[in-house]
Amino acid sequence: MVSRRSHQKSRTGCTQCKKRRIKCDELRPACSNCIKHSITCDFQTGSPSSASPAHPPKLLKQISSIKSPDSGRSSVRSRPVISNGLDPGDLQMGDLELLHQFVTSTCYTTSNRTDSHDLWRITVPKEGFHHDFLMRGILAIAAHHLSHLRPDRSADYQNLAHSHQDKALSGFQTAISAMNETNCHAFFALSSLIVVYAFASPRKPGTLALTDDSQDSPGEASWLPLIRGVNVILQQMWPWVETGPLRGLLQPGVFNTMDIKLPRPATHQLKELAGLCDSAAGGEEAVAAYQDAVKALQKCYAKIFTRASVECEVGTAFTWPVEVPDKYIQLLNARAPEALVILAHYCVVLHHLDNYWWMKGWAAHVMGNIYNELNASWREWIQWPSDTIARNEKCLVWRPLSPDMIPSHTPVSMTSL
């Protein structure tokens, strides 16, 4: 027969332990059993009259780090603050849910380049732990993604997204004046996420913009300046980023695309656009802007059509907004019909990104609004891109590059994702 282990009876234990007939360790301000079972220990109210026994330092440290269920009356010292200044008592399960969503799902949806997925999953969040504005941007994108995945809670997640994004942008604007070799990687990552956020935001009916139109410039197609602005920031930090931990997010460049043979319908439309631009209204400056925009569009078509496996289709698609001249943006904001027709043909490129949740439906949305902006005499110019999108055709389908088309040294372009 196994003998019962003896122990010294405690006659000064707490009432809860006595009721449960278990040994009380009599630790103050709450015994270990009460803390373990999340119940209020009467030591906290001072019921037992005996003095507290001496406690081993290790146990005191454990107790001091535990927040009692009845902390309002507890004499436990203030909760410790961890090295990054966050109070463990401020743990937000909603934010942890968003971070979990980002590293397990959302990180895989920003790019089709598999070699960039671990950078978004591991390296970017790691940077976010050192830069609050980046972490806010990460949580904002994750909230938008959950809004897309869980329609029953869409409004709740969108509110979270807006809250985090506002704080991300505020911190971004405050800190960017002090951008340097150390923090530039956080600015680079958030800049990319800002573009994704703009496209992920709910569409505003009746506008060409992919974000809400500003009050100062009603009707302005603000998504184009946004992409161009991000590119300007990237150029400023380029020497640092190309050798830093996020260099794998940079978009590899490609060969000369002007000699690539595109599908016949695309080639025909580009030739028609070039003729339209040559006789466009607005003077020589406007004609030159339209011509440059069409040349940039031809390059973009070719890059999408012959995209190498190392290239991200998102980054490739966003080269056109970066390369068009400022004058073209001005003409587009003025709703010049030639500018709108060119934009309609760029929607064919945007449609190639329709499989991304944050781009879903944008090509059709912009195309529909362009159609409404143009009068009947101009609508025939957008028939081909409109029909292509309506039929859900990916007319610039990717085909592998032949070895002789890839240069031995491939430059790097100013695009990411």
Side-chain angles (χ1 to χ4, degrees):
M1 181 176 179
V2 179
S3 60
R4 183 179 179 183
R5 187 174 63 179
S6 62
H7 65 272
Q8 183 180 357
K9 289 186 177 181
S10 171
R11 300 185 183 279
T12 56
C14 74
T15 302
Q16 298 291 350
C17 287
K18 288 180 179 179
K19 287 181 179 180
R20 301 178 66 230
R21 295 184 179 181
I22 57 178
K23 180 176 175 58
C24 180
D25 59 13
E26 302 181 31
L27 294 178
R28 297 316 201 261
C31 75
S32 297
N33 290 327
C34 289
I35 292 174
K36 179 180 178 181
H37 295 283
S38 298
I39 58 178
T40 302
C41 183
D42 54 10
F43 286 165
Q44 293 175 279
T45 64
S47 298
S49 58
S50 59
S52 174
H55 306 305
K58 184 176 180 181
L59 286 177
L60 283 174
K61 185 177 181 180
Q62 291 174 342
I63 294 171
S64 66
S65 65
I66 298 174
K67 187 176 186 297
S68 168
D70 194 12
S71 60
R73 294 182 293 172
S74 174
S75 59
V76 180
R77 66 181 180 177
S78 300
R79 296 185 300 273
V81 176
I82 57 180
S83 59
N84 63 2
L86 297 176
D87 187 337
D90 294 334
L91 186 65
Q92 298 294 325
M93 288 301 179
D95 291 345
L96 293 182
E97 177 193 20
L98 297 181
L99 184 58
H100 176 268
Q101 171 65 23
F102 187 87
V103 300
T104 61
S105 179
T106 308
C107 64
Y108 299 107
T109 68
T110 60
S111 171
N112 67 315
R113 286 176 58 193
T114 56
D115 60 327
S116 72
H117 291 164
D118 276 352
L119 291 174
W120 283 111
R121 183 175 66 90
I122 300 172
T123 311
V124 171
K126 187 176 180 180
E127 286 289 326
F129 290 130
H130 300 285
H131 304 281
D132 181 80
F133 61 84
L134 174 56
M135 183 57 71
R136 295 285 186 180
I138 290 171
L139 299 183
I141 293 298
H144 259 317
H145 195 195
L146 284 173
S147 173
H148 172 78
L149 296 173
R150 304 177 185 175
D152 57 320
R153 295 188 57 193
S154 179
D156 294 335
Y157 285 121
Q158 284 186 21
N159 288 336
L160 280 174
H162 297 330
S163 176
H164 282 301
Q165 186 71 357
D166 286 345
K167 293 174 182 177
L169 294 177
S170 177
F172 183 92
Q173 294 168 355
T174 300
I176 197 169
S177 60
M179 185 173 64
N180 54 44
E181 188 174 0
T182 301
N183 62 21
C184 67
H185 314 294
F187 287 106
F188 171 48
L190 183 61
S191 296
S192 298
L193 292 177
I194 287 173
V195 175
V196 175
Y197 186 94
F199 284 86
S201 298
R203 293 186 285 267
K204 187 174 181 180
T207 68
L208 290 172
L210 300 187
T211 57
D212 287 348
D213 297 331
S214 66
Q215 295 180 353
D216 295 332
S217 303
E220 181 179 0
S222 55
W223 59 280
L224 285 172
L226 176 62
I227 295 175
R228 291 161 65 84
V230 166
N231 184 66
V232 170
I233 295 174
L234 177 55
Q235 291 183 43
Q236 294 174 354
M237 64 180 79
W238 187 264
W240 298 326
V241 174
E242 67 176 346
T243 58
L246 299 181
R247 60 186 178 276
L249 296 181
L250 298 175
Q251 172 78 7
V254 295
F255 52 91
N256 186 352
T257 59
M258 300 310 291
D259 296 329
I260 298 298
K261 291 184 178 180
L262 294 169
R264 185 175 299 175
T267 300
H268 174 75
Q269 289 301 129
L270 289 170
K271 186 178 295 186
E272 291 292 311
L273 281 179
L276 175 67
C277 294
D278 290 340
S279 58
E284 294 182 0
E285 187 179 5
V287 169
Y290 293 140
Q291 290 173 337
D292 289 343
V294 172
K295 290 178 182 177
L297 186 61
Q298 180 180 353
K299 289 173 59 178
C300 192
Y301 275 18
K303 288 177 180 179
I304 291 288
F305 185 57
T306 58
R307 182 177 55 83
S309 59
V310 295
E311 294 180 281
C312 171
E313 61 183 347
V314 176
T316 301
F318 288 165
T319 57
W320 182 77
V322 170
E323 294 182 2
V324 295
D326 292 338
K327 179 62 177 179
Y328 171 77
I329 301 296
Q330 296 172 11
L331 293 165
L332 183 60
N333 291 332
R335 297 299 189 270
E338 295 91 345
L340 291 171
V341 168
I342 296 171
L343 179 63
H345 285 75
Y346 175 65
C347 287
V348 171
V349 175
L350 290 182
H351 188 59
H352 277 258
L353 307 181
D354 211 52
N355 55 316
Y356 293 88
W357 65 270
W358 45 278
M359 284 296 300
K360 189 71 175 178
W362 278 118
H365 170 75
V366 177
M367 179 61 70
N369 288 317
I370 292 174
Y371 181 88
N372 292 333
E373 290 282 346
L374 296 173
N375 59 40
S377 63
W378 281 97
R379 287 175 180 171
E380 63 182 65
W381 284 97
I382 64 170
Q383 190 67 49
W384 175 74
S386 180
D387 290 347
T388 299
I389 293 172
R391 292 193 299 262
N392 196 27
E393 291 182 4
K394 304 293 177 64
C395 62
L396 302 174
V397 291
W398 172 79
R399 61 181 176 85
L401 292 171
S402 59
D404 60 326
M405 295 170 68
I406 304 178
S408 58
H409 174 69
T410 303
V412 181
S413 60
M414 294 286 186
T415 51
S416 61
L417 291 176

